[in-house]
Amino acid sequence: MNKTQISAEIVAHSLSPQGDELISVLCTFPRIILSEMNTHRMLSKNTSSSRAIPFKKMVEAVKNDPFIPIAWQKHHSGMQGNDYITRDYDIAMAQTRWLRARDEAINNAQILNSEVIGVTKQLCNRLLEPFMWTTMLITGSKEGWDNFFELRCGNYDGFKSRKEASKEFLEKGNINTSTWSELDWLHLNKGQAEIHMMALAECIYDAMNE
């Protein structure tokens, strides 16, 4: 289980005399989706850099709090699959292999960075990026954020977030989702974005609604 979680916090929200909104959000998410996040040009972004972080500090972060996928999708065609590994044994095996890959990355990065070879941290840290978390300050107009949510949020029977869906399910169908697992929600979700990107978009969406 990840110690760090995908999260979003509103840090600034301004309204011009003309009614234009500008909203800034501080986000934490897996570095593996950074390139996808950077495709949204309607949003202004400032991201923490792995090049600037001391190598030993980076290694400790990846050792003690690595990013581990929230679910393990099965082989699929196209951009998004909806079938997930569900057997406990297979999930445990996938996580074990992921962490072994992390350990190999750390070991090779440390060898490269050692005094024997002496490779710069700017390259050694790159080997650790698949297992890293990153933070990003994102600023955008209301229209820019609405476009982002339309593209990246999940689709839980027409709702963009689990909070929205849970409230509606309870009020209209007397369905209590408090005991639902991650896989229960993912099987309901018909969104087409990468699952961690959808989780981030959902966090930002909920933060703005609150």
Side-chain angles (χ1 to χ4, degrees), residues 39 99 132 146:
T39 62
L99 292 177
M132 287 168 46
D146 286 344

Side-chain angles (χ1 to χ4, degrees), residues 170-182:
L170 187 61
E171 290 179 355
K172 298 295 178 65
N174 199 28
I175 300 172
N176 187 350
T177 62
S178 61
T179 60
W180 285 19
S181 68
E182 183 71 33

Side-chain angles (χ1 to χ4, degrees), residues 14-21 142-143:
S14 61
L15 184 67
S16 75
Q18 292 76 30
D20 298 320
E21 293 183 68
K142 184 67 165 56
E143 292 75 16

Side-chain angles (χ1 to χ4, degrees), residues 9 12 31 34 37 39 70 73 86 106 114 149 155 159 182 192 203:
E9 176 188 0
R31 194 175 177 87
L34 177 60
M37 194 67 224
T39 62
I70 58 179
Q73 287 170 296
T86 56
I106 290 174
S114 68
F149 296 142
N155 178 0
F159 299 99
E182 183 71 33
Q192 293 302 300
C203 282

Side-chain angles (χ1 to χ4, degrees), residues 11-166:
V11 294
H13 186 177
S14 61
L15 184 67
S16 75
Q18 292 76 30
D20 298 320
E21 293 183 68
L22 199 63
I23 305 165
S24 295
V25 185
L26 185 63
C27 302
T28 299
F29 56 89
R31 194 175 177 87
I32 63 166
I33 62 171
L34 177 60
S35 61
E36 289 189 59
M37 194 67 224
N38 283 335
T39 62
H40 293 275
R41 297 186 178 182
M42 294 178 72
L43 304 173
S44 174
K45 298 169 285 289
N46 192 337
T47 313
S48 59
S49 172
S50 66
R51 293 175 59 228
I53 301 173
F55 178 67
K56 288 183 179 180
K57 184 176 180 181
M58 183 72 73
V59 168
E60 285 304 307
V62 171
K63 274 185 179 180
N64 297 327
D65 188 20
F67 159 67
I68 301 171
I70 58 179
W72 303 92
Q73 287 170 296
K74 293 184 178 181
H75 291 299
H76 60 85
S77 60
M79 292 292 288
Q80 177 68 0
N82 292 309
D83 197 10
Y84 297 86
I85 293 171
T86 56
R87 287 201 313 169
D88 290 342
Y89 175 83
D90 294 333
I91 291 172
M93 181 61 71
Q95 181 167 313
T96 296
R97 290 293 177 181
W98 183 270
L99 292 177
R100 284 184 185 177
R102 182 267 324 255
D103 293 341
E104 283 295 315
I106 290 174
N107 182 52
N108 285 295
Q110 287 176 325
I111 292 171
L112 286 170
N113 189 248
S114 68
E115 293 182 2
V116 176
I117 302 178
V119 174
T120 174
K121 67 178 182 182
Q122 294 184 13
L123 288 176
C124 295
N125 283 350
R126 299 296 190 191
L127 290 178
L128 308 179
E129 288 184 355
F131 312 99
M132 287 168 46
W133 295 92
T134 194
T135 56
M136 176 183 277
L137 181 65
I138 315 171
T139 300
S141 65
K142 184 67 165 56
E143 292 75 16
W145 282 116
D146 286 344
N147 176 262
F148 173 74
F149 296 142
E150 193 64 30
L151 293 171
R152 298 298 191 176
C153 273
N155 178 0
Y156 305 98
D157 279 354
F159 299 99
K160 287 184 169 63
S161 84
R162 299 176 188 187
K163 283 188 177 181
E164 275 191 341
S166 293

